[in-house]
Amino acid sequence: MATVVNGSFASPAADAKYLPGGHGSGDGLLSQLLSGVSGWSVALAVLLTLVAYDQCSYIWQKGSLVGPSLKIPFFGPFLDAIYPDMNKYKAQWASGELSCVSVFHKFVVIVSTRDLARKVFNSPQFVKPCVVDIAVKLLRPQNWVFLDGRDHVDYRKGLNGLFTRQALETYLPGQEEVYDQYFAKFVELSQKEHGGEPIPYMPQFRELMCAVSCRTFVGHYLSDSSIKKIADDYYRITAALDLVNFPFIVPFTRPWYGKKAADMVLDLFAQCAAKSQVRMAAGGDVTCIMDGWIKSIQDSEKYRQKIAKGVEVDPSEKPTQVLREFSDFEISMTIFTFLFASQDATSSASTWLFQLMADRPEILDKVREENLAVRNGDRDARFSMDMLENMTYTRAVVKETLRYRPPVIMVPYLVKKDFPVTDSYTVKKGSMLIPSCYPALHDPEAYPEPDSFDPDRWITGDAEKQTKNWLVFGTGPHYCLGQTYATMNLMAMIGKASMQLDWVHHATPLSEKIKVFATIFPQDDCHLVFSERP
């Protein structure tokens, strides 16, 4: 009987599918599996995997916090970061002591209560300031505000002396010079260029405060045209300060233009530092913050050289703080942080001050009465620290403005390591943690009727005792160095304006509504008409 051979069991070597140089069994199986798979289906699978990971990561970090149950894949509430809404911020603060969102790659925890905000401010072992994502790129990562420990202290110990009473008095002539120039400009704008018709003055206040800051920080090392250039371009820097943005700078976007403007300012300030180095070495007088710091640096170097040579130095010749050498660019970066911290905040405060005074003539009358008295009846008397320190009511008006419309509503921090911010919740390393200042400044227990503008609460009330709620300038190791300067500068501005100017506010339905643009402004940008006082 013949044997039947089943060809399907032939030797693999005789089957072309298994030729060593051809399609092996593994390749054949793989090709069969992938024969029905397209590039689009692979891309979809990868996308769904990434979406699932993004959601799971958010849910895991969210834990018990108040916040959306799910996030919009990858982007999160990106548009809210680009177009912030004060009412949404208030709703977020009211939702709980801790709440969260996730935008792009960043998980954000928002702190609403005073005590937790203070805990964050006072926990440098867990957090460090990051302002907003883009700020590190604008200010440079090596900037002193982003440093910790000894490196941060090396800067701060040399900067503290630049804001003493004696130092602040040195800067007053330059500030008053700017106010003279811009108050005349305000009148000309209203009366000559616009025929007495109201125009938005917020942009003018931004330019004014930029000019005051530049004269205070770098003196006359900058020309008027350079200051105007910085004031004009600084808008691009402010526009770049979205709370959370793309992880990288995209050409021709707001962060890209902001970075170019920041680089321009850093270059100009470095040139100013070089000029100041020469002038201070030649024995020039200190007229600005940059001069004061550079003189201290040079005095420290002279002291070190004497000690190194074995020269006996009288204790009275030893500088109060012996500082290390700082390069022109390190000085530039530091001075830029002063402008960065002051420009938007003082622009906001000055805009609200002029609007609030125009809308409350009885308060402006008291400011005028006090300012005339401290000038001994001479409206043209020049600034002095004695004069400013005796403006009790004007100080109350400024402090109430800063409370009622705080320029800084929250301060973003980056979490350096897992932070047990409460007994039940730990913020993970790499998250953004944002203590809010606005709720503490509008706490009815500390400030009765907090939504009313009442300067008398600082004189006859107990507002001065509410030190834990006074978070306008932060607290802890990164508190604002310039808080006394900022307050007195605003007092000087509104005091001098009350002597030299009359102004009328043309209110619109948007005047009392708040626009968030790095800080807060009236939504209509404050329509005013200025004129000279008779």
Side-chain angles (χ1 to χ4, degrees), residues 43 89 107 138 220 222 241 350 368 414 422 460-461 466 486 494:
Y89 281 139
F107 185 75
L138 299 184
H220 284 274
L222 275 181
L241 299 178
S350 59
R368 283 191 167 127
L414 182 67
T422 68
T460 58
Q466 309 303 325
I494 202 65

Side-chain angles (χ1 to χ4, degrees), residues 53 57 129 186 232 263 329 372 416 429 457 466 489:
Y53 173 79
S57 176
F186 290 175
D232 290 344
D263 289 348
F329 193 70
L372 192 60
K416 300 189 294 184
K429 177 183 177 180
R457 73 172 81 240
Q466 309 303 325
N489 181 31

Side-chain angles (χ1 to χ4, degrees), residues 304-318:
R304 278 194 297 270
Q305 289 178 2
K306 288 182 179 180
I307 296 298
K309 293 176 181 178
V311 176
E312 186 173 347
V313 181
D314 189 277
S316 64
E317 294 182 35
K318 181 179 179 181

Side-chain angles (χ1 to χ4, degrees), residues 141-161:
Q142 65 270 40
N143 198 295
W144 78 288
V145 295
F146 304 125
L147 302 179
D148 288 320
R150 176 70 179 273
D151 291 334
H152 183 81
V153 171
D154 277 348
Y155 275 90
R156 187 171 279 267
K157 72 180 183 181
L159 301 177
N160 285 328

Side-chain angles (χ1 to χ4, degrees), residues 11-80:
S11 168
D15 193 327
K17 293 191 298 182
Y18 299 100
L19 288 177
H23 301 289
S25 61
D27 288 344
L29 180 60
L30 185 60
S31 64
Q32 289 177 29
L33 290 173
L34 296 180
S35 61
V37 178
S38 68
W40 285 109
S41 58
V42 172
L44 179 60
V46 170
L47 178 63
L48 290 175
T49 301
L50 291 175
V51 168
Y53 173 79
D54 188 46
Q55 294 293 348
C56 290
S57 176
Y58 167 71
I59 293 169
W60 175 68
Q61 291 188 82
K62 176 181 180 295
S64 60
L65 294 187
V66 175
S69 300
L70 298 172
K71 64 173 287 191
I72 299 171
F74 308 122
F75 294 96
F78 172 59
L79 291 179
D80 287 344

Side-chain angles (χ1 to χ4, degrees), residues 4 7 23 74 78-79 94 101 106 175 179 227 229 244 265 293 305 378 384 387 397 424 430 434 476 485:
V4 177
H23 301 289
F74 308 122
F78 172 59
L79 291 179
V101 295
K106 190 68 67 178
Q175 293 165 19
Y179 286 127
I227 289 177
K229 171 68 172 170
V244 179
V265 176
W293 190 20
Q305 289 178 2
D378 180 5
S384 71
M387 177 191 296
V397 167
S424 60
I434 306 180
Y485 157 72

Side-chain angles (χ1 to χ4, degrees), residues 244-281:
V244 179
N245 218 310
F246 286 104
F248 50 86
I249 294 178
V250 178
F252 307 109
T253 61
R254 294 193 305 200
W256 187 79
Y257 286 114
K259 178 68 163 58
K260 288 175 69 69
D263 289 348
M264 178 270 292
V265 176
L266 285 168
D267 183 58
L268 285 174
F269 283 178
Q271 294 175 36
C272 292
K275 295 174 185 176
S276 179
Q277 296 272 17
V278 173
R279 185 167 166 274
M280 289 299 99

